[in-house]
Amino acid sequence: MNWTIEAEPNTLRVLVSGYQSWSEAELRPLTALQAVPLMPWRHEQGHDPAFLPSGEAGRWRSHTLIALVRPDGGGWVGCAGDATRTFTHWEARMEDQSVQVSCTQEGPEVPVFWEATTDVITTVEALSARLGEHMRARTPPPLRVWCSWYSYYREVTLEAMLENARHARAKSLTFDVFQLDDGFQSDLGDWTLPSAHFGGHARDLPAALNDLGFAAGLWLAPFLVGPSSRLAAERPDWLLRDPHGRPLLAGHNWGGPYHALDTTHPEALEWLRELAATVREWGYTYLKLDFLYGAALPGVRHDPTVGRAQAYRMGLQALRDGAGEDAFLLGCGAPLASSIGLVDAMRTGPDVAPFWDDESRRVWLGDATGPSARNALHTALSRWYQHTWYQPDPDVVIARRELSLLSAAERHALAGMLDVIGGLRASSDPIAMLDEEGLALLRTALHLSVPDRPTTLTGSFGGAVTHFRRGRFNLLDQAQQGLAAHSYLSEPVPTAPGQR
Ligand code: 9PG
């Protein structure tokens, strides 16, 4: 499908959203360049390799939803009507005096909505809410989560988990869940075998956490298989293949490449169901399901009649079936719209890191999917409307001053992001490392809020949605209209006449 917009391209802004959790979402002048990573190996890990960012000026690609914004705040919005078995791809391309918009789909054809509007913000919210309703989005109350990743990384131990949970209890911090992240397992795929350094077994943790008053959470990358794992050795026929019949390379992390499960293989699906049921039996009621894009990669599948969007959903459904209806599932590194109705929450941006920016990677290599406070803010804020798809998880606040290069303004900007997005709350700080100031910021960040709305899409301090009712973010390196660089300034809530 194609549409022609009769408008001066250089007066318009475009709002796009990348394929999966870590892919950029942006609000840019239509004439600007849409960056694509220079390194091909980043394509399958940060984007959809079958529909990459354009890498060109004046040509913008988006997944599921796109909006074009005029200076008066009106414009055009396109949104898919269904994403259960279909990927919907948008492209807006500037011409001399007009803009060409095209929509293509991979998978069974589904309706799309294309609307001209006097208020893009409201129309984006309405069309995305319609998709959420159609796919029976799960939006349970948001949770407050302590997660081990952003301070312990792969070196996490059973004792570190317990120590933090004890400190959180002693300080009456209002976490609901303590979530063990990557590092407890011996290999990708060998989830029930502990790593050498973990100092115990993941199944020993939930009871102790429950005694301290917290639910237990566990990280899994259930669709990934390490090349030297037992799973790869025992079940080579469950791996997604390339056209030459070799196990597909599904990305590079953990010091090397890895493979992905073929979720059209009935035995692999049964294994996924059992995996989720097993960790549930261990006592984990909250599962962070990471690197989910693996099941949706282009490749040769056991059942060639199943498209990759559908294959992805079959894998995710198996995990939901095994974990149970009442488990809380957080998706991460996941195709966003394809997960609606199966996950309770979703990471909506790249990882936060204890530094502001990774400029060389972002600017010179065209890759803003990497960890940084700036990248997380940029993308998660530009997906503000996705709270009707799942509970958004914009990732952690970093409140500590030690082991961090973030300034006070940057730490407060992360807390502002959690407030404005109004979904999950997460922190990873070693509790004992927090001084009074750090504890105060953490307590503020754990206050639940409802999602805020942007005031405008016609202005931005940094190529993202930055102007909200509750406050404005400045993601740029220079002060803007009284807002310091890298900061968030909350606006006083206007009181109606007659109210106090
Ligand atoms: C554990 C981590 C944490 C984190 C997740 C995810 O594109 N990448 O190469 C890439 C690698 C790791 C990553 C994100 C992107 O982090 O988001 O919270 O769970 O895995 O390994």
Side-chain angles (χ1 to χ4, degrees), residues 121 125 381 384 452-457 465-469:
I121 295 172
E125 291 172 343
L381 291 173
W384 91 91
D452 197 9
R453 306 184 63 205
T455 52
T456 181
L457 301 179
V465 180
T466 52
H467 293 32
F468 289 84
R469 287 169 194 228

Side-chain angles (χ1 to χ4, degrees), residues 113-443:
F113 302 102
W114 175 254
E115 286 188 13
T117 171
T118 56
D119 176 358
V120 170
I121 295 172
T122 302
T123 304
V124 163
E125 291 172 343
L127 292 184
S128 55
R130 181 178 340 186
L131 176 64
E133 272 166 44
H134 169 75
M135 291 180 70
R136 300 177 188 218
R138 303 169 69 102
T139 53
L143 297 173
R144 296 157 297 186
V145 183
W146 190 90
C147 148
S148 59
W149 182 249
Y150 303 86
S151 43
Y152 295 90
Y153 297 97
R154 243 162 262 156
E155 308 306 312
V156 65
T157 61
L158 185 80
E159 188 44 40
M161 289 297 298
L162 290 173
E163 190 190 311
N164 278 286
R166 283 187 217 112
H167 281 297
R169 177 55 50 226
K171 301 244 186 276
S172 305
L173 291 170
T174 53
F175 288 107
D176 302 301
V177 181
F178 260 68
Q179 180 245 311
L180 172 59
D181 213 282
D182 187 6
F184 66 90
Q185 76 285 1
S186 76
D187 205 340
L188 297 169
D190 297 344
W191 303 106
T192 58
L193 305 174
S195 62
H197 70 266
F198 184 60
H201 193 288
R203 69 177 165 240
D204 300 332
L205 188 57
L209 291 176
N210 296 163
D211 285 348
L212 289 163
F214 303 114
L218 187 68
W219 175 94
L220 295 169
F223 297 150
L224 298 192
V225 184
S228 50
S229 65
R230 285 201 195 173
L231 184 63
E234 288 169 10
R235 303 288 176 204
D237 51 322
W238 293 0
L239 300 181
L240 201 55
R241 304 263 154 187
D242 70 15
H244 307 287
R246 293 180 298 236
L248 194 82
L249 298 182
H252 291 252
N253 200 28
W254 300 277
Y258 45 83
H259 305 306
L261 276 184
D262 177 353
T263 51
T264 70
H265 197 301
E267 290 170 14
L269 282 177
E270 185 50 36
W271 179 87
L272 285 166
R273 234 172 266 127
E274 271 171 33
L275 170 65
T278 300
V279 298
R280 182 70 206 259
E281 271 164 35
W282 291 352
Y284 292 98
T285 51
Y286 174 103
L287 301 181
K288 175 176 173 182
L289 305 174
D290 205 352
F291 290 82
L292 292 183
Y293 71 86
L297 285 170
V300 177
R301 292 183 161 77
H302 173 79
D303 184 346
T305 66
V306 177
R308 57 197 185 98
Q310 188 184 355
Y312 168 72
R313 199 133 169 121
M314 286 162 65
L316 195 54
Q317 181 71 57
L319 291 162
R320 167 57 75 188
D321 291 345
E325 268 303 299
D326 57 344
F328 192 103
L329 303 185
L330 165 65
C332 189
L336 297 167
S338 306
S339 308
I340 301 173
L342 289 175
V343 299
D344 299 281
M346 176 63 86
R347 257 292 278 293
T348 51
D351 291 14
V352 165
F355 50 83
W356 178 252
D357 195 7
D358 184 352
E359 195 176 337
S360 43
R361 176 169 171 185
R362 178 172 65 84
V363 177
W364 304 113
L365 299 176
D367 184 10
T369 66
S372 78
R374 183 219 160 273
N375 288 350
L377 281 153
H378 180 95
T379 285
L381 291 173
S382 303
R383 291 186 174 138
W384 91 91
Y385 55 87
Q386 294 188 5
H387 56 80
T388 47
W389 295 1
Y390 29 61
Q391 282 296 345
D393 167 24
D395 209 12
V396 292
V397 65
I398 291 182
R400 64 180 188 261
R401 290 193 282 181
E402 287 174 65
L403 297 180
S404 167
L405 300 171
L406 295 172
S407 68
E410 293 163 349
R411 294 193 293 273
H412 280 88
L414 290 172
M417 165 176 79
L418 297 192
D419 183 63
V420 159
I421 294 303
L424 252 60
R425 306 299 147 133
S427 158
S428 204
D429 290 323
I431 310 289
M433 206 177 259
L434 296 173
D435 54 16
E436 282 312 310
E437 195 186 319
L439 278 170
L441 180 59
L442 176 56
R443 287 185 204 280

